């Protein structure tokens, strides 16, 4: 008897942002492999008899080895279990979902994907700002700021910044807080110093907070506001209006 594996996007954190299909899959699981940023309010949808195995992964922290996770999924599925691989955000946006699906398929395990709302989208729209806009942004790039040490294919931020400036693109940068100083320095070589930037911490949770600044002040803002992981950094002119409102409020406060 062979089971199957569901890859379920748990969304950015707020359990009310789960899709109906995700809730049904979680409830049907006999085994759940849960990522670190998935809350208890989301796993509460699981059946009381289901086994919940935490296989947390977070940048800069001790993580469950990827090979172990992949081996465990195959083992449980081939034993006839209904496995839900529960990932924060969307399983196919910086969640190693592609690697895990390839491994399962190579072992003959059936896979179904249920998408989730990614934090880069949820965080920006929570501020009343779009990722694209006819006047300010003709497209959006989702990219990781967490390059592997010494990787030959690490991001060319100068070239990316030039493309974003010329093509009017919004840059949504995941896992970029730790390398923000270098990120800022590189982008400033090809983007305007006054390009608006937003940093959104713990997207969709009650503890969510954000900061808006110019690109030239990104690292100072991160340091002053003590933003840490998990946060998304979003660069682009879609934040022009919000930045102008913030600057106006600060001027009025100083004058008053």
């Amino acid at each position: 008897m062979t089971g199957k594996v569901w890859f379920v996007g748990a969304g950015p954190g707020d359990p009310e942002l789960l899709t109906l299909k995700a809730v049904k899959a979680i409830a049907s699981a006999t085994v759940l492999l849960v990522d670190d940023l998935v809350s208890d309010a989301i796993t509460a949808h699981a059946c009381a008899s289901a086994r919940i195995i935490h296989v947390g992964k977070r940048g800069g922290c001790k993580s469950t080895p990827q090979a172990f996770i992949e081996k465990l999924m195959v083992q449980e599925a081939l034993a006839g279990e209904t496995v839900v691989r529960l990932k924060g955000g969307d399983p196919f946006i910086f969640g190693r979902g592609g690697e895990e699906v390839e491994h399962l398929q190579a072992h003959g395990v059936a896979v179904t994907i249920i998408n989730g709302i990614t934090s880069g989208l949820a965080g920006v729209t929570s501020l009343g700002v779009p990722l694209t806009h006819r006047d300010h942004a003709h497209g959006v790039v989702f990219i990781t700021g967490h390059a592997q040490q010494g990787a030959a294919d690490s991001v060319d931020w100068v070239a990316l910044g030039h493309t974003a400036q010329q093509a009017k693109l919004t840059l949504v940068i995941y896992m970029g807080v730790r390398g923000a100083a270098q990120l800022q320095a590189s982008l400033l070589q090809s983007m305007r110093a006054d390009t608006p930037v937003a940093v959104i911490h713990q997207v969709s949770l009650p503890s969510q907070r954000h900061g808006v600044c110019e690109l030239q002040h990104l690292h100072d803002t991160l340091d002053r506001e003590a933003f840490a992981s998990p946060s998304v950094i979003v660069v682009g002119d879609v934040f022009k209006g919000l930045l102008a409102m913030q600057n106006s409020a600060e001027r009025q406060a100083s004058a008053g």
Side-chain angles (χ1 to χ4, degrees):
M1 179 174 165
T2 302
K4 66 180 300 182
V5 177
W6 297 77
F7 278 75
V8 177
D14 182 351
E16 293 189 356
L17 294 179
L18 286 168
T19 64
L20 292 174
K21 195 169 186 179
V23 171
K24 291 176 182 177
I26 294 168
S28 71
T30 58
V31 177
L32 293 95
L33 276 66
V34 182
D35 270 356
D36 187 53
L37 295 176
V38 177
S39 71
D40 292 342
I42 290 173
T43 56
H45 290 286
C47 177
S49 61
R51 282 187 290 136
I52 299 176
I53 304 170
H54 293 276
V55 289
K57 281 189 171 293
R58 186 183 293 193
C61 301
K62 186 176 181 180
S63 298
T64 305
Q66 186 64 28
F68 174 81
I69 296 172
E70 293 172 0
K71 180 180 179 180
L72 185 58
M73 282 192 292
V74 170
Q75 175 183 300
E76 297 293 347
L78 294 180
E81 303 289 352
T82 299
V83 181
V84 162
R85 179 72 172 100
L86 195 53
K87 291 175 170 286
D90 183 275
F92 278 9
I93 298 182
F94 307 122
R96 294 193 178 183
E99 300 170 33
E100 294 178 6
V101 167
E102 289 171 2
H103 185 82
L104 289 163
Q105 290 175 338
H107 287 79
V109 176
V111 177
T112 300
I113 312 299
I114 300 176
N115 295 108
I117 298 175
T118 186
S119 60
L121 172 62
V124 172
T125 55
S126 73
L127 305 181
V129 175
L131 281 174
T132 62
H133 189 286
R134 285 197 299 173
D135 296 328
H136 303 305
H138 298 162
V140 58
V141 175
F142 294 99
I143 190 162
T144 175
H146 179 59
Q148 294 185 33
Q149 193 71 25
D153 59 348
S154 60
V155 177
D156 185 339
W157 292 104
V158 178
L160 180 61
H162 178 77
T163 300
Q165 187 107 327
Q166 295 299 310
K168 291 188 175 182
L169 304 177
T170 303
L171 301 181
V172 181
I173 305 167
Y174 294 71
M175 298 167 283
V177 171
R178 293 178 64 194
Q182 182 58 50
L183 178 67
Q184 173 185 309
S186 297
L187 289 177
L188 282 173
Q189 294 181 51
S190 53
M191 302 187 79
R192 301 187 326 272
D194 65 351
T195 301
V197 179
V199 182
I200 312 157
H201 177 61
Q202 294 191 332
V203 171
S204 83
L205 297 175
S207 53
Q208 175 179 318
R209 58 193 182 94
H210 72 277
V212 182
C213 63
E214 295 179 349
L215 178 58
Q216 61 187 330
H217 302 309
L218 171 59
H219 186 253
D220 289 342
T221 299
L222 287 167
D223 196 40
R224 182 181 67 251
E225 300 296 333
F227 286 118
S229 178
S231 296
V232 289
I233 299 171
V234 188
V235 183
D237 284 342
V238 290
F239 286 104
K240 269 186 173 180
L242 194 59
L243 182 58
M245 288 174 58
Q246 176 178 288
N247 290 341
S248 176
E250 289 175 352
R251 285 194 297 269
Q252 290 178 14
S254 298

